[in-house]
Amino acid sequence: MVSKAEEAELNRLETQVDNGGGGAWDYLCLIRKLKVRRSHKVLNYGLSILNDSRKRSGLGQEEWTLYEQVAIAALDCQAIDVAKDCIKVLQKKFPQSKRVGRLEAMLLEAKGLWAEAEKAYASLLEENPCDQIVHKRRVALAKAQGNIAGAIEWLNKYLETFMADHDAWRELAELYISLQMYKQAVFCYEELILSQPTVPLFHLAYADVLYTLGGLENLQTAKKYYASTIDLTGGKNTRALFGICLCTSAIAQLTRGRNKEDKEGPAELQSLAATALEKDYKQRAPHKLSLLSSVLKGLKVSP
Amino acid sequence: MAEDLVLDTAIRDWVLIPLSVVMVLIGVLRYFVSKLMRSSPVPDAKVVREGQIVLRARNLRSAANFIPHKSFRSRRIYYGNEENGLLYVPKGQAQNAQAQMFSDPNMAMDMMKKNLSMIIPQTLTFAWVNFFFSGFVAAKIPFPLTQRFRSMLQNGIDLSTVDVSYVSSRSWYFLNLFGLRGLFSLILGEENAMDDTQRMMQMSGFGMDPTKVNIVSLYCIVF
């Protein structure tokens, strides 16, 4: 996660470097530290440092880190030749390195030689079965080929060992959703909520999936999680407000004709959500207010 | 003391300075030797997995209220059931830390390497200092000190009449041994400083936790 202060620092450095104010190396270091994806910029500024032999030797040992960074950025930009040159230099410097081996496998991957890349990753994993990056590359490889089921399989294998890696759980949840395997996705989102209970995004996504699954129990749970999203965001999440309205009307439809013992509570929540929505629309998009009221009317919600 | 002892300048040229230079050189040499012998630790997949399981279980415990009760129950069973739960360890199979250390030859090997690179040069230099320079005064510090410093500064001289500000050669060796850390961190980089003092503390057992006691006892057995 990139904090606000770090992002501000990054943007400041970016404008400074873009306008020729120097500090390219600091900018590249910050990109590396925050793990943000600015491949074109890294390629431009990294190469300008690498092509200047005086600047390059000024880096000392960091030179090789820069080579690696530029190689990866080049792969991302499909500048295969640049990447190849960088990797060649690294290969010469560190002949036996697995890190360079990983870069070579990524080069194969970028060229679209899936089978070779796969083989390279497999052999890397054989040497060091705990290499998280290689595991993840393999998932990405399967995903790039459009083989979502394969990606899920690799990811599951990875999570068997590294089960506290919440980014992997998130990826898995999204993959499952893309295959409409909502039950599995629900499990992944639960895992995410467990690891980071105060991130509203996960609550929201969890509620979305539960709502999609349908059924009275799931709808009720979904409503709770929409409510917790609103709680965590301080009422600023429009999607969650809509979610409350949708859930309540869906529940009302399912329970029609049954005894109406706790009818009062939900209706109140719904009308509160609808009021909040109307107020929000009035403030930020007044011309769409009529749309909103017709939608709410369709849901039989009256603010 | 009324009359000061006069130290021969030859002592400065042939004891004080060589001793310091030798200590520095040995420190640098030892740094490179230990760098050569250091094997990069390969994490064991099983150990990694155990750590991750514990982490995940801890998340479950602390955030249990954030997921529906049903999901929590299924997870609890998944972790804790008695047949194949992730966290369940059959009785008697749990290894204590010490047994684990003995069963893993790599660990003992690593420790021995570390200690070898440290203890051998230290014993040798100590023997060398003792053999050549034992029992004479090598330096004088420019300020007076109380009697309590006698054992620190005049190691190897058993004269109670000598002023405490005189430093014996053996004490000079010890002062160098502990005092050169800052210099090493300058020459060899911050993190590479040979942390003799700390290791020494570990060895001799000042205020340490049980795991370290184990290391020391293991070290004694291995040696």
Side-chain angles (χ1 to χ4, degrees):
Chain A
M1 288 271 167
V2 181
S3 75
K4 276 228 172 79
E6 283 166 335
E7 200 183 331
E9 170 73 10
L10 184 70
N11 289 334
R12 191 187 65 74
L13 265 176
E14 190 172 283
T15 42
Q16 182 189 328
V17 174
D18 280 345
N19 299 325
W25 171 245
D26 293 331
Y27 177 57
L28 293 174
C29 282
L30 195 63
I31 286 181
R32 205 163 51 221
K33 191 178 134 213
L34 301 180
K35 294 189 178 119
V36 289
R37 189 169 175 176
R38 299 273 202 284
S39 296
H40 277 288
K41 303 228 149 130
V42 172
L43 189 58
N44 273 341
Y45 301 129
L47 268 186
S48 70
I49 294 181
L50 285 182
N51 286 333
D52 187 337
S53 62
R54 203 164 48 87
K55 269 191 207 162
R56 192 180 58 201
S57 53
L59 297 179
Q61 285 295 311
E62 297 284 325
E63 181 188 347
W64 312 111
T65 327
L66 182 60
Y67 266 116
E68 190 188 25
Q69 193 182 8
V70 171
I72 292 173
L75 289 175
D76 198 19
C77 300
Q78 281 293 311
I80 303 280
D81 292 331
V82 178
K84 211 184 269 174
D85 291 341
C86 288
I87 294 173
K88 212 178 277 169
V89 174
L90 285 171
Q91 172 76 32
K92 210 185 244 169
K93 171 79 184 173
F94 309 100
Q96 293 294 316
S97 166
K98 280 174 204 152
R99 211 157 140 184
V100 178
R102 204 157 66 204
L103 283 178
E104 278 169 348
M106 281 163 80
L107 179 65
L108 292 173
E109 197 185 330
K111 282 183 189 160
L113 303 167
W114 308 121
E116 278 93 337
E118 175 79 57
K119 214 181 285 168
Y121 285 135
S123 75
L124 280 175
L125 272 186
E126 214 160 90
E127 282 172 50
N128 179 13
C130 291
D131 196 333
Q132 295 190 339
I133 300 176
V134 175
H135 274 287
K136 288 182 176 173
R137 283 312 320 159
R138 212 155 56 158
V139 177
L141 185 67
K143 207 176 158 190
Q145 286 171 279
N147 179 11
I148 303 291
I152 287 179
E153 195 181 311
W154 288 126
L155 203 49
N156 270 321
K157 203 173 263 176
Y158 167 77
L159 279 170
E160 225 165 73
T161 312
F162 302 95
M163 49 177 79
D165 184 346
H166 48 84
D167 289 327
W169 281 109
R170 190 170 177 186
E171 179 68 27
L172 186 62
E174 275 156 23
L175 286 177
Y176 274 133
I177 286 180
S178 71
L179 288 185
Q180 305 187 350
M181 295 162 82
Y182 297 119
K183 283 223 169 83
Q184 287 83 344
V186 161
F187 184 89
C188 299
Y189 277 121
E190 278 166 7
E191 210 55 54
L192 279 170
I193 291 175
L194 281 179
S195 64
Q196 289 170 319
T198 51
V199 177
L201 274 179
F202 299 150
H203 288 250
L204 184 64
Y206 183 54
D208 280 346
V209 180
L210 282 176
Y211 177 76
T212 316
L213 267 175
L216 185 58
E217 196 184 337
N218 282 334
L219 283 173
Q220 272 163 348
T221 322
K223 201 173 78 181
K224 280 182 198 160
Y225 277 89
Y226 280 128
S228 76
T229 312
I230 293 173
D231 194 18
L232 287 170
T233 51
K236 290 205 175 62
N237 195 312
T238 316
R239 190 183 175 90
L241 291 170
F242 270 120
I244 292 265
C245 296
L246 285 169
C247 275
T248 324
S249 65
I251 291 170
Q253 249 170 27
L254 278 177
T255 52
R256 187 173 296 156
R258 295 190 207 167
N259 56 345
K260 290 154 185 163
E261 43 194 37
D262 53 359
K263 192 86 187 176
E264 212 45 51
E268 196 185 352
L269 182 61
Q270 191 185 28
S271 63
L272 273 176
T275 324
L277 270 176
E278 277 207 331
K279 196 173 141 207
D280 205 23
Y281 268 74
K282 228 177 251 169
Q283 218 167 45
R284 291 197 288 183
H287 56 285
K288 286 188 180 139
L289 198 58
S290 58
L291 269 173
L292 174 75
S293 46
S294 71
V295 166
L296 291 181
K297 209 173 279 168
L299 291 171
K300 298 200 186 80
V301 179
S302 53
Chain B
M1 259 196 157
E3 66 271 34
D4 278 346
L5 290 176
V6 178
L7 298 183
D8 195 342
T9 48
I11 288 184
R12 182 194 63 205
D13 293 349
W14 294 100
V15 180
L16 201 71
I17 294 168
L19 205 61
S20 306
V21 171
V22 164
M23 290 299 294
V24 171
L25 287 183
I26 282 179
V28 173
L29 185 77
R30 198 162 63 204
Y31 163 70
F32 284 111
V33 167
S34 68
K35 205 173 159 189
L36 273 182
M37 290 207 295
R38 195 186 307 148
S39 54
S40 61
V42 180
D44 186 16
K46 204 177 142 222
V47 177
V48 172
R49 185 159 182 266
E50 274 172 6
Q52 299 263 317
I53 289 174
V54 170
L55 208 62
R56 199 172 153 204
R58 195 165 57 205
N59 284 340
L60 177 66
R61 191 193 59 208
S62 60
N65 288 331
F66 285 90
I67 58 170
H69 190 59
K70 209 172 73 184
S71 312
F72 171 70
R73 249 189 342 231
S74 72
R75 275 181 175 72
R76 199 184 64 194
I77 292 167
Y78 176 57
Y79 287 123
N81 74 340
E82 291 220 348
E83 276 153 34
N84 50 3
L86 281 180
L87 288 173
Y88 184 69
V89 182
K91 256 190 196 131
Q93 266 190 23
Q95 284 180 315
N96 59 19
Q98 202 163 7
Q100 215 167 11
M101 218 184 296
F102 280 112
S103 68
D104 185 3
N106 257 336
M107 211 159 173
M109 194 65 196
D110 268 2
M111 206 120 53
M112 216 166 89
K113 270 185 198 165
K114 243 185 249 159
N115 287 332
L116 273 184
S117 71
M118 157 178 161
I119 216 77
I120 287 191
Q122 229 165 66
T123 354
L124 286 182
T125 30
F126 186 69
W128 174 71
V129 169
N130 245 358
F131 186 76
F132 284 105
F133 310 121
S134 67
F136 61 85
V137 172
K140 179 179 189 294
I141 42 175
F143 44 86
L145 284 167
T146 53
Q147 287 296 321
R148 288 188 167 262
F149 285 91
R150 187 176 293 285
S151 62
M152 182 178 132
L153 290 179
Q154 292 182 358
N155 203 323
I157 304 180
D158 294 331
L159 292 174
S160 55
T161 47
V162 185
D163 192 85
V164 185
S165 56
Y166 289 98
V167 183
S168 76
S169 59
R170 201 194 288 173
S171 294
W172 180 243
Y173 161 77
F174 278 118
L175 286 180
N176 272 320
L177 184 67
F178 293 116
L180 283 178
R181 213 178 113 200
L183 188 65
F184 285 136
S185 73
L186 269 184
I187 322 177
L188 305 172
E190 277 303 325
E191 74 276 22
N192 305 325
M194 300 295 300
D195 221 337
D196 273 334
T197 352
Q198 258 184 22
R199 284 200 209 153
M200 213 56 161
M201 296 277 241
Q202 239 177 45
M203 287 286 144
S204 46
F206 298 126
M208 44 186 188
D209 56 23
T211 54
K212 280 186 186 153
V213 177
N214 281 344
I215 294 174
V216 173
S217 60
L218 180 77
Y219 157 80
C220 294
I221 294 163
V222 168
F223 237 69

